[in-house]
Amino acid sequence: MVEEIETILNRNQSLTQDLKIHFLELVAIFHKQFPTVSLENLKNRLQTLKVDRLNRYVSTEVSKYDPVLNTLMVNEERLGKDVDAKHVLMYELLSIITAKDNYTGFNFNHQFEALNIGYTEILTNYLVGNESEEFIHSDEIIATNLISISVGNDILLHAFFNNDYMSLTKGLIDAGIEL
């Protein structure tokens, strides 16, 4: 699987060689920890993925993946200075793996945006840690941990990697969490 992704990355002329190497390393880490998660969506999206600059005057975020445009936007001024670049790229890789239509993970129609951010951060921390002194989404991580205790990580994991917001909704209702 990783060899297929390497071939696809090498065909994409929009990505720098360094970014291709970093993505490949992160895919290998991800696939080792989550071997049953399909990477078909990732393979399709990497073929046409573009990278663009994220203007610091437009957004304070370090990076952002747009699933509609299949574009990874990066604020190069912040990347590597006050944040962990490996962490940021893994976070965005998870967004690409779970991208569907105009959303990622289980964040359909922005209904679970904070939960999706928190869960993506938790998975990113699990996979590569965070060498940064700045914790970008700490409130979302705390809330997601609390919800995970009520709903169960299995439901969150399934919903996240299968874009299944309905199973997440059912899990929240079954746990007695009002929406």
Side-chain angles (χ1 to χ4, degrees):
M1 180 63 67
V2 177
E3 296 82 22
E4 290 178 60
I5 291 175
E6 181 176 20
T7 301
I8 290 166
L9 282 168
N10 285 330
R11 288 184 193 145
N12 186 332
Q13 299 302 311
S14 298
L15 306 177
T16 66
Q17 191 60 34
D18 282 345
L19 188 56
K20 292 175 186 181
I21 291 167
H22 293 307
F23 267 145
L24 193 60
E25 174 188 330
L26 295 174
V27 168
I29 291 168
F30 174 83
H31 190 61
K32 182 178 180 185
Q33 295 300 319
F34 297 102
T36 60
V37 172
S38 172
L39 296 178
E40 287 305 311
N41 189 52
L42 176 65
K43 290 192 303 187
N44 291 332
R45 288 185 174 268
L46 284 178
Q47 292 178 36
T48 59
L49 179 70
K50 295 174 200 70
V51 177
D52 201 357
R53 288 179 185 235
L54 185 61
N55 188 317
R56 69 180 173 154
Y57 299 112
V58 175
S59 175
T60 59
E61 295 179 78
V62 177
S63 63
K64 183 178 182 176
Y65 174 67
D66 183 332
V68 175
L69 299 174
N70 195 29
T71 301
L72 173 60
M73 293 167 282
V74 179
N75 182 336
E76 293 176 357
E77 292 177 15
R78 289 197 59 205
L79 191 61
K81 288 185 180 176
D82 55 350
V83 296
D84 180 354
K86 188 174 188 178
H87 178 89
V88 169
L89 287 176
M90 179 58 86
Y91 182 96
E92 298 305 347
L93 181 66
L94 288 169
S95 295
I96 297 167
I97 289 169
T98 64
K100 179 178 181 183
D101 301 328
N102 64 343
Y103 68 101
T104 62
F106 41 67
N107 186 28
F108 182 73
N109 282 341
H110 304 287
Q111 290 176 327
F112 299 112
E113 187 166 5
L115 185 60
N116 197 75
I117 289 168
Y119 200 65
T120 307
E121 278 289 345
I122 288 169
L123 290 175
T124 302
N125 287 332
Y126 168 71
L127 291 165
V128 296
N130 189 352
E131 298 290 323
S132 174
E133 293 181 22
E134 177 183 343
F135 293 97
I136 300 171
H137 303 291
S138 57
D139 291 341
E140 289 88 346
I141 292 170
I142 292 167
T144 301
N145 276 324
L146 293 172
I147 290 170
S148 176
I149 291 167
S150 299
V151 173
N153 188 52
D154 290 346
I155 290 173
L156 287 173
L157 194 66
H158 168 83
F160 185 75
F161 285 118
N162 293 289
N163 305 102
D164 188 1
Y165 62 92
M166 291 305 292
S167 70
L168 175 58
T169 302
K170 182 181 179 321
L172 290 167
I173 291 169
D174 290 349
I177 299 172
E178 292 185 31
L179 301 177

